[in-house]
Amino acid sequence: MSLLAMLICVAPFCLAFALVIPSAWANHHADLMRRLCQASVAGVGAFLMLASLGLLFQSNITGSWSLTGSHGPLRISVYYDVISALMALLIGYIGWIISRFSGSYLDRDSRAGQFDKWLMVCLGAILGLVVSGNLIQLFVFWILTTFALHQLLMHNADRPWAVWTARKKFLISRLGDVFLGIAIYLVYQVWGTGELSELLAKFKEGAPALFDDSRVGVICILLVLSALTKSAQFPFHSWLPDTLETPTPVSALMHAGIINGGGFLLIRLSPLVSQSSAALALCTIIGGVTCLLGGIIMSTQSSIKRKLAYSTMSQMGFMMMQCGLGAFSIALIHIISHSLYKSHAFLRSGSAVTAPGLSHSPISWQKRLLTTGVGLVSASIIIVMVAFLMGVDGTPSMAEMLLGLVTLVALTHLISEAISSGSPRLALIGMTASTLIVAIYFLSHAALDGLTRDVLAHDSVGTSLSSQIVIGIVAIGFVSLGIIEIAKDHLANSRILQLLYVHAVNGFYFDIAARRLTALLWARSAPTP
């Protein structure tokens, strides 16, 4: 193992080492723990930034050290490529911001030292997950991440609802661990190794008999199921909007960092996952359902934090749908942009209490149709124009058409809302913002696709009839949601929408099964939130 690879491998352990610090001692020396946390996170982040410069001279930085002195499965390995570097830098930056914010947020808190301890462990575990060079090591950090998060969620242990939701999250995480553990076991059985450098090299070669084993499809589906539990996808999503009694820095870390673990797993193992059309279809349909479900529920919530939680659920659903469509580089862009936005949104959520409210004046049905039509035409022209200037040509696939449709629906809503305000200035801002958004989207995709072309290169399976049906269903769902959003002001007295609103406010009661399971194992009844 080279010196640089060894240092990259050691970096996460520098933070995770806080696990050995006694909590009582940490609370007694809260100021020291705060300084230690901020300095350690900043130092590790700065080192990873410098280490990433090494990728300018080589495609990846790898190394392995056997714990048994042989070529057995027990190794400490590092696999640092463009994907790892982008995720590590993202985690380091957000972790540094959160550690600084928590210093003032938890000032005079009796358990502030313990909080900083588990924050360091959690950040170290996430970084370890990202730079792990073999699947067993990745699995260990996968578990450590949820264990450290559980301790952070239990920070306010005197609040029954906080304890209850932390336990529910703990159970769902253990289910994901089972899925991932079985998948890793089968990987070793099929290919005889769990080293990412060896596995990805094999997948890139694409030998004819490499994926002939019937267990490959099972492995792919198990990986998708594990990712769904990690990223709060339907029906494993109910823990996410309930874990809001935790301190705000934990919410920011959870929604901007840990929730991305499932997406990272699929992106990292995309050459394998993409070999199963069933796994991709499952990822597409569940991601699409979660995206639509989260968007509908989010629009009915009055609490700013619950809105943000359901927004995260919806965004992660869209990211999973992108993975299911084989757009792994776009999914990586989504992870980075969503993390930066959501960490800022949660850390600034307290300002919503003092911010002036926005007035909303309903407009006539005819004007709404007119503004929607103008928005649709304008959005279409913007997308076609930017695509032409970017040199995009050829017939798009069904997956690309679905992503384009979602973009078209979102831009139509943005532009129509700006026009319906009646202000020429806001209309101009809306048009300009839409153009910039599409341009940034295309440019970032082109840049990242170029950087990760070799990393994410794989022979995708053909689009089957079942995949086309799934894409069609998801497309209908997004169009329907857009129509509901347009017509909601004029159908407010509709009996159907009123019933939909009541059920949506309560999350359509999908969390009942998770509550019953939690009650079965830990308590006889659930406390009131």
Side-chain angles (χ1 to χ4, degrees):
M1 181 184 292
S2 66
L3 178 60
L4 182 56
M6 185 177 296
L7 292 175
I8 292 175
C9 190
V10 169
F13 290 97
C14 293
L15 296 174
F17 185 74
L19 185 67
V20 302
I21 300 176
S23 296
W25 186 92
N27 289 331
H28 187 68
H29 300 83
D31 290 339
L32 176 60
M33 285 297 300
R34 181 176 67 252
R35 291 194 295 269
L36 176 63
C37 178
Q38 295 179 9
S40 299
V41 173
V44 169
F47 167 74
L48 292 174
M49 183 180 296
L50 294 175
S52 300
L53 297 177
L55 296 176
L56 297 175
F57 307 99
Q58 55 190 103
S59 58
N60 54 60
I61 301 171
T62 62
S64 179
W65 178 60
S66 177
L67 298 177
T68 58
S70 63
H71 295 288
L74 296 180
R75 300 184 188 181
I76 295 179
S77 306
V78 62
Y79 190 86
Y80 199 73
D81 61 355
V82 174
I83 296 175
S84 300
L86 289 173
M87 293 298 295
L89 294 177
L90 177 68
I91 294 165
Y93 174 70
I94 292 178
W96 178 66
I97 296 295
I98 291 175
S99 65
R100 288 179 57 84
F101 182 89
S102 62
S104 57
Y105 184 90
L106 295 172
D107 188 31
R108 301 183 185 277
D109 190 301
S110 61
R111 292 188 290 269
Q114 177 180 326
F115 179 91
D116 288 324
K117 164 191 170 178
W118 288 112
L119 178 60
M120 292 173 65
V121 174
C122 194
L123 289 172
I126 302 172
L127 286 172
L129 172 68
V130 167
V131 304
S132 288
N134 67 71
L135 295 180
I136 292 180
Q137 184 178 327
L138 182 148
F139 183 61
V140 171
F141 281 116
W142 179 279
I143 295 176
L144 182 58
T145 299
T146 55
F147 177 72
L149 175 61
H150 181 74
Q151 302 302 318
L152 292 173
L153 293 176
M154 293 284 288
H155 181 76
N156 296 320
D158 54 332
R159 299 181 182 181
W161 184 248
V163 174
W164 175 269
T165 55
R167 288 173 174 174
K168 181 167 64 170
K169 167 67 173 73
F170 185 85
L171 291 176
I172 294 176
S173 296
R174 300 293 71 77
L175 181 62
D177 296 344
V178 172
F179 291 141
L180 182 58
I182 297 174
I184 291 174
Y185 172 78
L186 291 177
V187 167
Y188 276 92
Q189 292 294 309
V190 174
W191 292 291
T193 181
E195 292 294 314
L196 289 177
S197 57
E198 299 176 12
L199 285 172
L200 295 178
K202 288 183 178 181
F203 298 154
K204 187 176 180 180
E205 292 172 1
L210 190 63
F211 302 106
D212 288 346
D213 197 299
S214 59
R215 291 171 291 183
V216 172
V218 177
I219 292 172
C220 295
I221 291 177
L222 287 172
L223 289 173
V224 169
L225 289 174
S226 182
L228 294 179
T229 62
K230 193 76 165 183
S231 294
Q233 299 297 285
F234 175 85
F236 312 111
H237 66 279
S238 63
W239 62 268
L240 186 64
D242 284 346
T243 52
L244 296 177
E245 290 201 34
T246 187
T248 296
V250 180
S251 296
L253 176 65
M254 183 166 56
H255 288 258
I258 297 174
I259 199 74
N260 296 320
F264 171 78
L265 179 68
L266 296 183
I267 292 171
R268 166 57 72 209
L269 298 177
S270 58
L272 171 58
V273 176
S274 61
Q275 298 305 315
S276 171
S277 58
L280 292 179
L282 176 64
C283 202
T284 301
I285 192 67
I286 295 298
V289 169
T290 305
C291 181
L292 295 172
L293 183 65
I296 291 173
I297 299 175
M298 177 190 68
S299 64
T300 64
Q301 303 300 305
S302 57
S303 167
I304 182 64
K305 279 194 172 184
R306 287 189 72 84
K307 276 184 175 291
L308 290 174
Y310 280 110
S311 168
T312 297
M313 170 185 162
S314 181
Q315 292 291 334
M316 289 300 100
F318 189 57
M319 182 268 295
M320 283 292 173
M321 188 182 73
Q322 291 169 332
C323 290
L325 295 173
F328 294 104
S329 58
I330 297 179
L332 184 58
I333 295 173
H334 199 133
I335 286 178
I336 295 172
S337 57
H338 175 262
S339 296
L340 294 173
Y341 153 70
K342 196 52 64 74
S343 59
H344 175 267
F346 264 100
L347 296 181
R348 291 275 297 174
S349 60
S351 63
V353 178
T354 56
L358 297 177
S359 59
H360 175 72
S361 302
I363 61 177
S364 66
W365 177 245
Q366 292 78 6
K367 186 177 180 181
R368 171 61 69 184
L369 287 178
L370 178 61
T371 56
T372 300
V374 174
L376 178 61
V377 173
S378 302
S380 301
I381 293 175
I382 289 173
I383 293 175
V384 172
M385 179 184 67
V386 174
F388 175 77
L389 293 176
M390 289 291 298
V392 179
D393 54 5
T395 304
S397 64
M398 286 196 66
E400 292 171 335
M401 291 174 63
L402 176 58
L403 293 176
L405 174 64
V406 175
T407 305
L408 179 63
V409 171
L411 290 182
T412 298
H413 178 68
L414 174 62
I415 295 174
S416 64
E417 286 294 312
I419 295 175
S420 63
S421 66
S423 169
R425 177 174 174 272
L426 287 180
L428 179 61
I429 291 175
M431 297 285 288
T432 305
S434 298
T435 305
L436 289 176
I437 289 171
V438 176
I440 293 172
Y441 179 80
F442 275 93
L443 287 171
S444 59
H445 176 230
L448 199 56
D449 191 55
L451 288 173
T452 61
R453 185 177 301 277
D454 293 334
V455 182
L456 297 178
H458 57 271
D459 296 326
S460 301
V461 295
T463 304
S464 62
L465 177 60
S466 60
S467 299
Q468 294 178 5
I469 294 174
V470 168
I471 292 174
I473 293 174
V474 173
I476 293 172
F478 275 103
V479 172
S480 300
L481 184 61
I483 294 174
I484 292 175
E485 183 66 28
I486 293 172
K488 65 179 182 180
D489 289 340
H490 304 280
L491 299 177
N493 296 324
S494 169
R495 180 64 176 169
I496 296 177
L497 282 186
Q498 289 177 350
L499 289 174
L500 179 65
Y501 177 86
V502 172
H503 297 310
V505 167
N506 293 282
F508 295 104
Y509 318 104
F510 286 119
D511 63 333
I512 291 178
R515 290 192 184 190
R516 287 178 176 174
L517 180 59
T518 307
L520 179 65
L521 296 179
W522 262 303
R524 294 182 178 178
S525 60
T528 303

